[in-house]
DNA sequence: TCAGTCCTGGACCGATCGGTCCGTAACCGC
DNA sequence: GCGGTTACGGACCGATCGGTCCAGGACTGA
């Protein structure tokens, strides 16, 4: 009948777009640039995705899934030790924020690039950040924090701070203080007695 | 000889540009939109500024100056009490991050929009953030912190976290926990004895 | 009042944006 | 091998980007 559709096209596009968006920001990357670096024509891209907004949203969904997979891997060794898992999660963020070529958390960055609440990219980004806080609160509760929500908020502060300063001030900046600050917060909220 | 140049043109442009950049982000605002909202022609804008990059840099310089003026005003009541000034500075950030229509710290936002280290806007933004950390370290030293740099880093984390989460999660999110976390950090680092 | 000067608004420029569409050729069933 | 079908690359679209430039007129000095 006809030639067969090449497999893995969507994944290839997503991989290239992910790298470009991460390194340069979404608004700074044009669709033309994406297809050129993928080595495909535009029609392929627009068959796989409805438009740039859809591509960006798909990228964020994939990044979200990859993040939680990394979290699961980092938390597994501390199974049964929620306080240790809390610290391991912060350490995972610290490692990301201190890695070479880090340009900020893609979810915070993208939510700041698209301010319209109706924009799908913003919705995906904010949903991820809410999930992040939710996970922290769950772990905080399991760790026996007196006020799980308060501990989760404090850890979100540390995490957000590491992302922001890691991108702006480099890996030798405040990022180094993050894990210690988180440990102090966890200890303070989970102190047994009274 | 000729008609005189209308006074205050530069200031009017900067005020409009400041509002647009703050609300929408820099890349989302076109020069056409700026001149339309100012009600002037493009030639005026390009006589006052060398181009968009220059306009953005000038906006950041003005925002930087305005910020330090606000800091001075907030710290004045606590003259002679560096620890209190540290807390007042954090409270100033918390108030900004919780204010309605807050869309993130313009310096963090702009540094994430322009990743090229040679870009004047990025340079202005990063310079502001370094000044911010420097001010915190100076105050931390005056407050008798055992390790002023460490306290400054921890407070930068709280500040960056409040900016990030204030924009993404709203004023009722982790921002509320920021001042308490900062107070705890200050007390821990400035504990007298041992 | 008139001539001269230069401020001013907006038409205009090439480049690039996100997105559409068509000619070509690769591949299939027969 | 051949005809039909469909995947594909890239030419092309209008809109908008940052930036330039010019015709017109408002103001000044005499």
């Amino acid at each position: 009948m006809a030639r067969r559709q090449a497999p893995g096209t969507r994944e290839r596009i997503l991989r290239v777009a992910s790298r470009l968006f991460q390194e340069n920001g979404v608004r700074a990357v044009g669709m033309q640039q994406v297809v050129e670096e993928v080595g495909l024509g535009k029609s392929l891209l627009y068959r796989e995705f409805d438009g740039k907004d859809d591509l960006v949203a798909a990228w964020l969904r994939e990044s979200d899934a990859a993040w939680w997979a990394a979290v699961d891997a980092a938390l597994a060794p501390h199974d049964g030790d929620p306080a240790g898992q809390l610290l391991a999660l912060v350490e995972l963020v610290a490692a990301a924020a201190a890695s070479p070529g880090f340009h900020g958390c893609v979810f915070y960055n993208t939510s700041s690039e698209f301010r319209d609440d109706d924009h799908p990219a913003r919705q995906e980004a904010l949903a991820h950040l809410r999930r992040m806080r939710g996970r922290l609160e769950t772990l905080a509760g399991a760790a026996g924090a007196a006020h799980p929500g308060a501990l989760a908020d404090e850890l979100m502060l540390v995490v957000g701070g590491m992302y922001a300063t890691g991108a702006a001030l480099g890996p030798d900046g405040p990022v180094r203080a993050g894990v210690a600050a988180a440990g102090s917060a966890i200890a303070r909220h989970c102190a047994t007695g009274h």
Side-chain angles (χ1 to χ4, degrees), chain A residues 30-109:
Chain A
M31 295 296 261
Q32 186 62 42
Q33 188 179 355
V34 173
V35 297
E36 274 170 11
E37 301 222 7
V38 176
L40 263 36
K42 274 196 171 187
S43 55
L44 271 288
L45 199 165
Y46 281 93
R47 181 163 52 73
E48 295 294 335
F49 302 94
D50 285 345
K52 188 178 188 181
D53 291 358
D54 185 40
L55 174 61
V56 175
W59 161 61
L60 290 179
R61 275 192 298 273
E62 196 202 47
S63 300
D64 178 73
W67 170 251
W68 293 119
V71 166
D72 287 343
L75 266 53
H78 303 84
D79 203 36
D81 171 21
Q85 291 185 314
L86 236 21
L87 205 59
L89 185 34
V90 174
E91 279 169 352
L92 184 62
V93 172
S99 65
F102 178 71
H103 289 122
C105 168
V106 296
F107 304 99
Y108 278 121
N109 284 351

Side-chain angles (χ1 to χ4, degrees), chain A residues 1-5:
Chain A
M1 284 262 227
R3 62 191 294 199
R4 245 178 323 171
Q5 175 173 333

Side-chain angles (χ1 to χ4, degrees), chain A residues 71-166:
Chain A
V71 166
D72 287 343
L75 266 53
H78 303 84
D79 203 36
D81 171 21
Q85 291 185 314
L86 236 21
L87 205 59
L89 185 34
V90 174
E91 279 169 352
L92 184 62
V93 172
S99 65
F102 178 71
H103 289 122
C105 168
V106 296
F107 304 99
Y108 278 121
N109 284 351
T110 306
S111 72
S112 115
E113 282 197 282
F114 299 96
R115 313 269 171 107
D116 180 358
D117 283 331
D118 294 336
H119 198 291
R122 181 179 182 81
Q123 291 174 351
E124 291 292 337
L126 297 189
H128 168 92
L129 296 170
R130 281 191 290 264
R131 276 193 288 273
M132 184 73 182
R133 193 196 166 286
R135 182 85 178 240
L136 287 174
E137 185 166 2
T138 301
L139 284 172
H147 305 288
L151 178 52
D153 280 344
E154 202 164 331
L155 293 180
M156 275 299 279
L157 245 28
V158 172
V159 166
M162 287 195 297
Y163 280 139
T165 61

